[in-house]
Amino acid sequence: EQGRFLQDVFTTLVDLKWPHTLLIFTMSFLCSWLLFGMVWWLIAFAHGDLDHSTRLQRDVTSIHSFTSAFLFSIEVQVTIGFGGRMVTEECPPAILVLIVENILIVQNIVGLVINAIMLGCIFMKTSQAHRRAETLIFSKHAVIALREGKLCFMLRVGDLRKSMIISATIRMQVVKKTASLEGEVVPLNQIDIQMENPVGGNSIFLVSPLIIYHVIDKNSPLYDISPLNLHHHEDLEIIVILEGVVETTGITTQARTSYLADEILWGQRFVPIVAEEDGRYSVDYSKFGNTVKVPTPSCTARQLEEDKSIMDSMPLSPKGTIRKRSVKLKPRFTIS
């Protein structure tokens, strides 16, 4: 099926790594120069220009060998000036003059096409939307802890740039091996899971780092997950996809991450990283992925829902608040 990639050559070139792309364009120019250099050499050979014993009117002056024909081919295609080599006006075979003129036009068109493709690929590779996604960060670990009396799967997402991501949306999928009632085994079954965030729905306003969480209820594929299942042998992966429009360029970008079973921490929550400084909020990204242990029952969400007495024996953890600092700043109310 590799021929399918050649049917869309431009996208294939854009997807290649920089060394491979530059090598292809370099070889394209060299092959073009060699091809038309050979054509010029054959014309000179057919007209007898290579025979130094005769003094016939030459098709191209100063063509004495294949090397000089190759240099003339470069000069024609890159239009750097002929110097001592140039096409003569008089050539006995009229058909040969016509061929020479057509070759000049064709070679220039080929050079322009190669230049256009190269410039287009370089522009697309330098302006690819996934570069903007490098500053969209996710917490290294996800956590499962109690929130409002229910077990929740939580992760933290943030944006390091000042420019906003417009119309940002986030969604999650659970990928695991499942089997249907008919015995069909699906090795990579993708199940969408519903999320909750401060804005509501899948849309988020990413002005500061947000904790995105999923309530583990009876409709959740994590309903029967317990701390005993969070090890590297468990066939479980949660994929998180963040999409939005780059404010400065208007290009849609997408950032992705995933959490394996051993990357999910049970009974922990993220530490606060937003501090209030006299009417101004600041974010400490050095603690972006830091977590702290909190009291959490070591049972599945199904067991917690069926046995309400488990919650009665749980000690209450102190509520997280926005940290306040005593640094005196000018009265402002901004996010920095």
Side-chain angles (χ1 to χ4, degrees):
E1 298 293 335
Q2 293 181 358
R4 295 181 178 270
F5 292 93
L6 298 179
Q7 295 178 4
D8 188 7
V9 179
F10 186 78
T11 304
T12 303
L13 291 175
V14 172
D15 290 339
L16 289 177
K17 295 182 179 180
W18 274 105
H20 297 162
T21 302
L22 296 177
L23 177 62
I24 289 175
F25 282 121
T26 302
M27 294 305 299
S28 299
F29 280 111
L30 289 176
C31 293
S32 173
W33 297 335
L34 288 172
L35 173 63
F36 287 100
M38 178 63 69
V39 174
W40 288 115
W41 182 84
L42 290 175
I43 291 176
F45 177 79
H47 190 249
D49 293 350
L50 302 181
D51 187 2
H52 302 288
S53 60
T54 61
R55 293 186 176 272
L56 297 175
Q57 180 65 38
R58 297 178 181 273
D59 291 336
V60 181
T61 60
S62 301
I63 295 291
H64 307 291
S65 62
F66 178 77
T67 303
S68 57
F70 176 72
L71 293 175
F72 179 72
S73 175
I74 297 176
E75 293 170 355
V76 169
Q77 186 161 325
V78 300
T79 63
I80 60 176
F82 295 100
R85 303 180 184 88
M86 57 183 170
V87 181
T88 60
E89 296 179 356
E90 298 180 4
C91 186
I95 187 64
L96 191 59
V97 175
L98 181 61
I99 294 176
V100 169
E101 292 175 352
N102 288 335
I103 290 175
L104 283 170
I105 297 174
V106 171
Q107 185 172 359
N108 278 280
I109 291 176
V110 171
L112 290 174
V113 170
I114 296 176
N115 285 328
I117 296 176
M118 181 183 66
L119 292 175
C121 287
I122 291 177
F123 173 76
M124 293 301 298
K125 289 179 73 67
T126 54
S127 63
Q128 283 183 344
H130 71 268
R131 302 298 181 186
R132 177 61 175 88
E134 295 295 332
T135 52
L136 298 174
I137 58 175
F138 300 89
S139 56
K140 183 178 180 181
H141 295 90
V143 299
I144 293 180
L146 288 174
R147 173 174 280 194
E148 302 297 336
K150 297 181 179 179
L151 285 176
C152 296
F153 173 87
M154 293 175 283
L155 63 101
R156 178 175 274 165
V157 60
D159 187 5
L160 297 178
R161 286 191 181 273
K162 293 182 179 179
S163 59
M164 296 289 296
I165 293 293
I166 305 173
S167 303
T169 58
I170 191 168
R171 56 192 179 94
M172 288 192 293
Q173 288 185 339
V174 174
V175 180
K176 63 178 182 178
K177 182 179 179 180
T178 59
S180 64
L181 298 177
E182 293 78 16
E184 180 185 4
V185 177
V186 182
L188 296 175
N189 189 22
Q190 301 179 14
I191 306 173
D192 288 329
I193 59 179
Q194 185 64 33
M195 292 172 303
E196 302 290 340
N197 60 66
V199 180
N202 290 341
S203 300
I204 60 176
F205 184 51
L206 201 57
V207 68
S208 64
L210 297 177
I211 295 179
I212 310 299
Y213 68 96
H214 159 68
V215 178
I216 305 177
D217 54 15
K218 60 182 179 180
N219 297 321
S220 171
L222 307 178
Y223 195 47
D224 294 316
I225 292 293
S226 68
L228 300 178
N229 302 117
L230 301 182
H231 52 79
H232 66 279
H233 294 295
E234 181 70 17
D235 186 14
L236 174 67
E237 183 175 7
I238 299 178
I239 299 175
V240 184
I241 303 173
L242 173 62
E243 294 179 337
V245 178
V246 182
E247 183 180 30
T248 54
T249 62
I251 301 176
T252 303
T253 185
Q254 183 183 95
R256 299 180 298 272
T257 190
S258 69
Y259 299 98
L260 299 176
D262 56 349
E263 296 174 333
I264 302 174
L265 307 179
W266 189 281
Q268 299 196 31
R269 71 180 178 194
F270 296 103
V271 300
I273 61 174
V274 179
E276 183 182 359
E277 300 175 347
D278 296 337
R280 179 180 177 180
Y281 292 99
S282 63
V283 180
D284 185 4
Y285 277 96
S286 64
K287 301 179 181 179
F288 182 81
N290 291 6
T291 59
V292 61
K293 290 185 178 181
V294 292
T296 307
S298 300
C299 62
T300 64
R302 181 190 298 274
Q303 295 171 343
L304 184 63
E305 184 177 354
E306 294 175 352
D307 189 359
K308 301 296 183 180
S309 62
I310 299 178
M311 287 297 302
D312 298 335
S313 60
M314 294 295 302
L316 296 178
S317 59
K319 295 183 178 180
T321 58
I322 297 179
R323 297 178 288 117
K324 294 186 178 182
R325 299 178 182 175
S326 59
V327 180
K328 294 183 179 181
L329 298 174
K330 295 181 180 180
R332 294 181 62 187
F333 190 80
T334 59
I335 299 295
S336 63

Short mmCIF file of all heavy atoms in Angstrom, two decimals, residues 141-191:
data_model
loop_
_atom_site.label_atom_id
_atom_site.label_comp_id
_atom_site.label_asym_id
_atom_site.label_seq_id
_atom_site.Cartn_x
_atom_site.Cartn_y
_atom_site.Cartn_z
N HIS A 141 0.86 12.53 35.67
CA HIS A 141 0.02 11.47 36.21
C HIS A 141 -1.42 11.97 36.32
O HIS A 141 -1.67 13.16 36.49
CB HIS A 141 0.49 11.03 37.60
CG HIS A 141 1.84 10.38 37.60
ND1 HIS A 141 3.00 11.09 37.76
CD2 HIS A 141 2.22 9.08 37.43
CE1 HIS A 141 4.04 10.29 37.72
NE2 HIS A 141 3.60 9.06 37.51
N ALA A 142 -2.34 11.04 36.22
CA ALA A 142 -3.74 11.30 36.55
C ALA A 142 -4.01 10.74 37.94
O ALA A 142 -3.24 9.91 38.44
CB ALA A 142 -4.65 10.65 35.51
N VAL A 143 -5.06 11.19 38.55
CA VAL A 143 -5.36 10.77 39.92
C VAL A 143 -6.83 10.34 40.01
O VAL A 143 -7.67 10.76 39.20
CB VAL A 143 -5.08 11.89 40.94
CG1 VAL A 143 -3.60 12.28 40.92
CG2 VAL A 143 -5.94 13.11 40.66
N ILE A 144 -7.09 9.51 41.00
CA ILE A 144 -8.46 9.12 41.34
C ILE A 144 -8.65 9.38 42.82
O ILE A 144 -7.90 8.87 43.66
CB ILE A 144 -8.73 7.64 41.02
CG1 ILE A 144 -8.68 7.41 39.50
CG2 ILE A 144 -10.09 7.21 41.57
CD1 ILE A 144 -8.94 5.96 39.09
N ALA A 145 -9.63 10.21 43.13
CA ALA A 145 -9.90 10.57 44.52
C ALA A 145 -11.36 10.97 44.64
O ALA A 145 -12.10 11.03 43.64
CB ALA A 145 -8.98 11.70 44.98
N LEU A 146 -11.77 11.24 45.87
CA LEU A 146 -13.15 11.64 46.12
C LEU A 146 -13.34 13.12 45.79
O LEU A 146 -12.49 13.95 46.08
CB LEU A 146 -13.52 11.39 47.58
CG LEU A 146 -13.69 9.94 48.02
CD1 LEU A 146 -13.92 9.85 49.51
CD2 LEU A 146 -14.85 9.28 47.26
N ARG A 147 -14.45 13.42 45.17
CA ARG A 147 -14.87 14.80 44.94
C ARG A 147 -16.39 14.83 45.04
O ARG A 147 -17.07 14.15 44.28
CB ARG A 147 -14.39 15.32 43.60
CG ARG A 147 -14.94 16.69 43.26
CD ARG A 147 -14.33 17.28 42.00
NE ARG A 147 -13.02 17.85 42.24
CZ ARG A 147 -12.40 18.67 41.39
NH1 ARG A 147 -13.00 18.98 40.25
NH2 ARG A 147 -11.21 19.15 41.65
N GLU A 148 -16.90 15.62 45.97
CA GLU A 148 -18.33 15.69 46.23
C GLU A 148 -18.90 14.32 46.56
O GLU A 148 -20.03 13.98 46.18
CB GLU A 148 -19.08 16.30 45.03
CG GLU A 148 -18.61 17.68 44.64
CD GLU A 148 -18.85 18.73 45.72
OE1 GLU A 148 -19.76 18.50 46.55
OE2 GLU A 148 -18.13 19.74 45.74
N GLY A 149 -18.11 13.52 47.30
CA GLY A 149 -18.59 12.23 47.75
C GLY A 149 -18.57 11.14 46.70
O GLY A 149 -19.08 10.04 46.94
N LYS A 150 -17.98 11.40 45.53
CA LYS A 150 -17.92 10.40 44.46
C LYS A 150 -16.48 10.25 43.99
O LYS A 150 -15.71 11.21 43.98
CB LYS A 150 -18.82 10.80 43.29
CG LYS A 150 -20.30 10.88 43.64
CD LYS A 150 -21.12 11.24 42.42
CE LYS A 150 -22.60 11.30 42.75
NZ LYS A 150 -23.41 11.69 41.56
N LEU A 151 -16.15 9.03 43.58
CA LEU A 151 -14.82 8.81 43.01
C LEU A 151 -14.75 9.49 41.64
O LEU A 151 -15.65 9.35 40.81
CB LEU A 151 -14.54 7.31 42.87
CG LEU A 151 -14.21 6.55 44.15
CD1 LEU A 151 -14.05 5.06 43.86
CD2 LEU A 151 -12.93 7.08 44.78
N CYS A 152 -13.64 10.20 41.41
CA CYS A 152 -13.47 10.92 40.16
C CYS A 152 -12.07 10.68 39.61
O CYS A 152 -11.10 10.59 40.36
CB CYS A 152 -13.67 12.43 40.36
SG CYS A 152 -15.34 12.90 40.86
N PHE A 153 -12.02 10.55 38.30
CA PHE A 153 -10.74 10.49 37.59
C PHE A 153 -10.38 11.92 37.19
O PHE A 153 -11.16 12.62 36.53
CB PHE A 153 -10.87 9.60 36.35
CG PHE A 153 -9.66 9.62 35.46
CD1 PHE A 153 -8.60 8.76 35.68
CD2 PHE A 153 -9.59 10.50 34.38
CE1 PHE A 153 -7.49 8.78 34.85
CE2 PHE A 153 -8.49 10.52 33.55
CZ PHE A 153 -7.43 9.67 33.79
N MET A 154 -9.19 12.39 37.59
CA MET A 154 -8.82 13.80 37.39
C MET A 154 -7.46 13.93 36.74
O MET A 154 -6.56 13.11 36.97
CB MET A 154 -8.83 14.54 38.73
CG MET A 154 -10.20 14.68 39.36
SD MET A 154 -10.16 15.42 41.01
CE MET A 154 -9.62 14.02 41.98
N LEU A 155 -7.31 14.97 35.94
CA LEU A 155 -6.03 15.35 35.35
C LEU A 155 -5.98 16.86 35.26
O LEU A 155 -7.02 17.54 35.35
CB LEU A 155 -5.85 14.71 33.96
CG LEU A 155 -6.87 15.12 32.89
CD1 LEU A 155 -6.28 16.17 31.95
CD2 LEU A 155 -7.31 13.91 32.09
N ARG A 156 -4.78 17.38 35.07
CA ARG A 156 -4.61 18.83 34.99
C ARG A 156 -4.06 19.19 33.61
O ARG A 156 -3.16 18.52 33.10
CB ARG A 156 -3.69 19.33 36.09
CG ARG A 156 -3.42 20.83 36.05
CD ARG A 156 -2.59 21.25 37.25
NE ARG A 156 -3.43 21.53 38.40
CZ ARG A 156 -2.97 21.65 39.64
NH1 ARG A 156 -1.69 21.46 39.90
NH2 ARG A 156 -3.79 21.92 40.63
N VAL A 157 -4.60 20.26 33.03
CA VAL A 157 -4.17 20.74 31.73
C VAL A 157 -3.91 22.24 31.84
O VAL A 157 -4.58 22.95 32.59
CB VAL A 157 -5.24 20.44 30.65
CG1 VAL A 157 -6.55 21.11 30.98
CG2 VAL A 157 -4.77 20.86 29.27
N GLY A 158 -2.90 22.71 31.08
CA GLY A 158 -2.55 24.13 31.13
C GLY A 158 -1.93 24.57 29.82
O GLY A 158 -1.56 23.76 28.96
N ASP A 159 -1.82 25.88 29.67
CA ASP A 159 -1.24 26.50 28.48
C ASP A 159 -0.16 27.47 28.93
O ASP A 159 -0.41 28.37 29.73
CB ASP A 159 -2.32 27.23 27.69
CG ASP A 159 -1.82 27.74 26.35
OD1 ASP A 159 -0.66 27.43 26.00
OD2 ASP A 159 -2.58 28.43 25.65
N LEU A 160 1.05 27.31 28.39
CA LEU A 160 2.18 28.13 28.80
C LEU A 160 2.23 29.47 28.08
O LEU A 160 2.87 30.40 28.55
CB LEU A 160 3.50 27.37 28.55
CG LEU A 160 3.69 26.08 29.34
CD1 LEU A 160 5.01 25.42 28.94
CD2 LEU A 160 3.68 26.34 30.84
N ARG A 161 1.57 29.60 26.95
CA ARG A 161 1.62 30.85 26.19
C ARG A 161 0.58 31.84 26.68
O ARG A 161 -0.44 31.47 27.27
CB ARG A 161 1.40 30.57 24.70
CG ARG A 161 2.58 29.92 24.00
CD ARG A 161 2.37 29.93 22.50
NE ARG A 161 3.49 29.29 21.80
CZ ARG A 161 4.59 29.93 21.43
NH1 ARG A 161 4.71 31.22 21.69
NH2 ARG A 161 5.56 29.28 20.81
N LYS A 162 0.85 33.12 26.39
CA LYS A 162 -0.11 34.16 26.73
C LYS A 162 -1.26 34.20 25.73
O LYS A 162 -2.38 34.57 26.08
CB LYS A 162 0.59 35.51 26.79
CG LYS A 162 1.59 35.64 27.92
CD LYS A 162 2.21 37.03 27.94
CE LYS A 162 3.20 37.16 29.09
NZ LYS A 162 3.84 38.51 29.12
N SER A 163 -0.99 33.88 24.47
CA SER A 163 -2.06 33.87 23.47
C SER A 163 -3.03 32.74 23.77
O SER A 163 -2.63 31.64 24.14
CB SER A 163 -1.47 33.71 22.07
OG SER A 163 -0.74 32.50 21.96
N MET A 164 -4.30 33.02 23.56
CA MET A 164 -5.34 32.08 23.95
C MET A 164 -5.55 31.00 22.87
O MET A 164 -5.23 31.19 21.71
CB MET A 164 -6.66 32.82 24.17
CG MET A 164 -6.62 33.80 25.33
SD MET A 164 -6.57 32.96 26.91
CE MET A 164 -8.15 32.15 26.87
N ILE A 165 -6.10 29.88 23.32
CA ILE A 165 -6.62 28.85 22.42
C ILE A 165 -8.13 29.06 22.34
O ILE A 165 -8.85 28.93 23.34
CB ILE A 165 -6.30 27.44 22.93
CG1 ILE A 165 -4.79 27.20 22.88
CG2 ILE A 165 -7.01 26.40 22.10
CD1 ILE A 165 -4.21 27.15 21.48
N ILE A 166 -8.60 29.43 21.15
CA ILE A 166 -10.01 29.76 20.97
C ILE A 166 -10.82 28.48 20.73
O ILE A 166 -10.36 27.56 20.06
CB ILE A 166 -10.17 30.73 19.78
CG1 ILE A 166 -9.28 31.98 20.00
CG2 ILE A 166 -11.62 31.15 19.61
CD1 ILE A 166 -9.25 32.90 18.81
N SER A 167 -12.03 28.47 21.29
CA SER A 167 -12.96 27.33 21.11
C SER A 167 -12.29 26.02 21.51
O SER A 167 -12.37 25.01 20.78
CB SER A 167 -13.46 27.26 19.67
OG SER A 167 -14.10 28.46 19.29
N ALA A 168 -11.61 26.02 22.62
CA ALA A 168 -10.91 24.82 23.09
C ALA A 168 -11.91 23.78 23.58
O ALA A 168 -12.84 24.09 24.32
CB ALA A 168 -9.94 25.18 24.21
N THR A 169 -11.71 22.56 23.15
CA THR A 169 -12.53 21.44 23.59
C THR A 169 -11.62 20.30 24.02
O THR A 169 -10.50 20.16 23.51
CB THR A 169 -13.48 20.94 22.49
OG1 THR A 169 -12.70 20.55 21.34
CG2 THR A 169 -14.45 22.03 22.08
N ILE A 170 -12.08 19.50 24.94
CA ILE A 170 -11.29 18.38 25.44
C ILE A 170 -12.21 17.17 25.55
O ILE A 170 -13.39 17.29 25.91
CB ILE A 170 -10.65 18.72 26.80
CG1 ILE A 170 -9.62 17.66 27.18
CG2 ILE A 170 -11.69 18.94 27.88
CD1 ILE A 170 -8.74 18.06 28.36
N ARG A 171 -11.67 16.03 25.21
CA ARG A 171 -12.43 14.78 25.32
C ARG A 171 -11.49 13.65 25.70
O ARG A 171 -10.27 13.73 25.50
CB ARG A 171 -13.16 14.44 24.02
CG ARG A 171 -12.28 14.35 22.80
CD ARG A 171 -13.10 14.31 21.52
NE ARG A 171 -12.29 14.25 20.32
CZ ARG A 171 -11.93 13.14 19.71
NH1 ARG A 171 -12.34 11.96 20.19
NH2 ARG A 171 -11.19 13.18 18.62
N MET A 172 -12.07 12.61 26.28
CA MET A 172 -11.29 11.47 26.75
C MET A 172 -11.90 10.18 26.24
O MET A 172 -13.11 10.07 26.06
CB MET A 172 -11.23 11.46 28.28
CG MET A 172 -10.34 12.54 28.87
SD MET A 172 -10.01 12.27 30.64
CE MET A 172 -11.64 12.53 31.33
N GLN A 173 -11.02 9.22 26.03
CA GLN A 173 -11.43 7.88 25.62
C GLN A 173 -10.68 6.84 26.43
O GLN A 173 -9.50 7.02 26.73
CB GLN A 173 -11.17 7.65 24.13
CG GLN A 173 -12.08 8.39 23.19
CD GLN A 173 -11.83 8.03 21.73
OE1 GLN A 173 -10.75 7.53 21.39
NE2 GLN A 173 -12.81 8.25 20.88
N VAL A 174 -11.38 5.78 26.74
CA VAL A 174 -10.77 4.62 27.39
C VAL A 174 -10.54 3.56 26.32
O VAL A 174 -11.46 3.18 25.60
CB VAL A 174 -11.65 4.07 28.52
CG1 VAL A 174 -11.04 2.78 29.08
CG2 VAL A 174 -11.79 5.10 29.63
N VAL A 175 -9.30 3.12 26.21
CA VAL A 175 -8.94 2.09 25.24
C VAL A 175 -8.54 0.83 26.01
O VAL A 175 -7.59 0.85 26.80
CB VAL A 175 -7.77 2.55 24.34
CG1 VAL A 175 -7.40 1.47 23.34
CG2 VAL A 175 -8.15 3.84 23.61
N LYS A 176 -9.26 -0.23 25.79
CA LYS A 176 -8.95 -1.49 26.46
C LYS A 176 -9.53 -2.65 25.66
O LYS A 176 -10.35 -2.46 24.75
CB LYS A 176 -9.51 -1.51 27.88
CG LYS A 176 -11.02 -1.42 27.99
CD LYS A 176 -11.46 -1.50 29.44
CE LYS A 176 -12.98 -1.45 29.55
NZ LYS A 176 -13.41 -1.56 30.97
N LYS A 177 -9.13 -3.81 26.01
CA LYS A 177 -9.59 -5.03 25.34
C LYS A 177 -10.93 -5.44 25.91
O LYS A 177 -11.10 -5.55 27.12
CB LYS A 177 -8.56 -6.15 25.52
CG LYS A 177 -8.91 -7.45 24.81
CD LYS A 177 -7.81 -8.48 25.02
CE LYS A 177 -8.14 -9.80 24.33
NZ LYS A 177 -7.07 -10.80 24.53
N THR A 178 -11.90 -5.66 25.02
CA THR A 178 -13.23 -6.06 25.46
C THR A 178 -13.71 -7.24 24.62
O THR A 178 -13.16 -7.54 23.56
CB THR A 178 -14.24 -4.91 25.32
OG1 THR A 178 -14.29 -4.49 23.95
CG2 THR A 178 -13.83 -3.73 26.19
N ALA A 179 -14.75 -7.87 25.11
CA ALA A 179 -15.37 -9.00 24.41
C ALA A 179 -16.88 -8.81 24.44
O ALA A 179 -17.46 -8.45 25.47
CB ALA A 179 -14.98 -10.32 25.06
N SER A 180 -17.52 -9.03 23.29
CA SER A 180 -18.97 -8.88 23.19
C SER A 180 -19.67 -10.12 23.71
O SER A 180 -19.04 -11.15 24.01
CB SER A 180 -19.36 -8.61 21.74
OG SER A 180 -19.03 -9.73 20.94
N LEU A 181 -20.99 -10.01 23.81
CA LEU A 181 -21.78 -11.16 24.27
C LEU A 181 -21.70 -12.32 23.29
O LEU A 181 -21.88 -13.48 23.69
CB LEU A 181 -23.24 -10.73 24.47
CG LEU A 181 -23.49 -9.65 25.53
CD1 LEU A 181 -24.97 -9.26 25.56
CD2 LEU A 181 -23.03 -10.14 26.90
N GLU A 182 -21.43 -12.01 22.04
CA GLU A 182 -21.33 -13.07 21.02
C GLU A 182 -19.94 -13.68 20.96
O GLU A 182 -19.70 -14.57 20.16
CB GLU A 182 -21.68 -12.50 19.65
CG GLU A 182 -23.14 -12.07 19.49
CD GLU A 182 -23.41 -10.73 20.16
OE1 GLU A 182 -22.42 -10.02 20.47
OE2 GLU A 182 -24.59 -10.41 20.38
N GLY A 183 -19.03 -13.23 21.80
CA GLY A 183 -17.69 -13.79 21.82
C GLY A 183 -16.69 -13.09 20.94
O GLY A 183 -15.54 -13.54 20.81
N GLU A 184 -17.10 -11.97 20.32
CA GLU A 184 -16.16 -11.21 19.49
C GLU A 184 -15.22 -10.41 20.37
O GLU A 184 -15.65 -9.65 21.25
CB GLU A 184 -16.92 -10.27 18.56
CG GLU A 184 -16.01 -9.44 17.66
CD GLU A 184 -16.78 -8.44 16.83
OE1 GLU A 184 -18.02 -8.33 17.02
OE2 GLU A 184 -16.15 -7.75 16.01
N VAL A 185 -13.93 -10.55 20.13
CA VAL A 185 -12.91 -9.86 20.92
C VAL A 185 -12.45 -8.62 20.17
O VAL A 185 -12.04 -8.70 19.01
CB VAL A 185 -11.71 -10.79 21.22
CG1 VAL A 185 -10.62 -10.03 21.98
CG2 VAL A 185 -12.17 -12.01 22.00
N VAL A 186 -12.56 -7.48 20.83
CA VAL A 186 -12.09 -6.21 20.26
C VAL A 186 -10.84 -5.81 21.03
O VAL A 186 -10.92 -5.40 22.18
CB VAL A 186 -13.17 -5.11 20.37
CG1 VAL A 186 -12.67 -3.82 19.73
CG2 VAL A 186 -14.47 -5.58 19.75
N PRO A 187 -9.65 -5.94 20.42
CA PRO A 187 -8.41 -5.68 21.17
C PRO A 187 -8.23 -4.23 21.57
O PRO A 187 -7.66 -3.95 22.62
CB PRO A 187 -7.31 -6.13 20.20
CG PRO A 187 -7.93 -6.06 18.85
CD PRO A 187 -9.38 -6.35 19.04
N LEU A 188 -8.70 -3.29 20.75
CA LEU A 188 -8.54 -1.86 21.05
C LEU A 188 -9.90 -1.18 20.96
O LEU A 188 -10.18 -0.43 20.02
CB LEU A 188 -7.54 -1.21 20.08
CG LEU A 188 -6.10 -1.71 20.15
CD1 LEU A 188 -5.26 -1.07 19.05
CD2 LEU A 188 -5.49 -1.41 21.51
N ASN A 189 -10.72 -1.45 21.93
CA ASN A 189 -12.06 -0.85 21.94
C ASN A 189 -11.98 0.56 22.51
O ASN A 189 -11.45 0.78 23.60
CB ASN A 189 -13.00 -1.70 22.77
CG ASN A 189 -14.43 -1.25 22.64
OD1 ASN A 189 -14.79 -0.60 21.66
ND2 ASN A 189 -15.27 -1.57 23.62
N GLN A 190 -12.49 1.55 21.77
CA GLN A 190 -12.46 2.95 22.19
C GLN A 190 -13.83 3.35 22.75
O GLN A 190 -14.83 3.26 22.06
CB GLN A 190 -12.08 3.85 21.02
CG GLN A 190 -10.73 3.51 20.42
CD GLN A 190 -10.38 4.40 19.24
OE1 GLN A 190 -11.02 5.42 19.02
NE2 GLN A 190 -9.38 4.02 18.48
N ILE A 191 -13.83 3.79 23.99
CA ILE A 191 -15.06 4.15 24.68
C ILE A 191 -14.94 5.60 25.14
O ILE A 191 -14.02 5.95 25.88
CB ILE A 191 -15.32 3.23 25.89
CG1 ILE A 191 -15.28 1.76 25.46
CG2 ILE A 191 -16.64 3.57 26.54
CD1 ILE A 191 -15.34 0.80 26.61
#
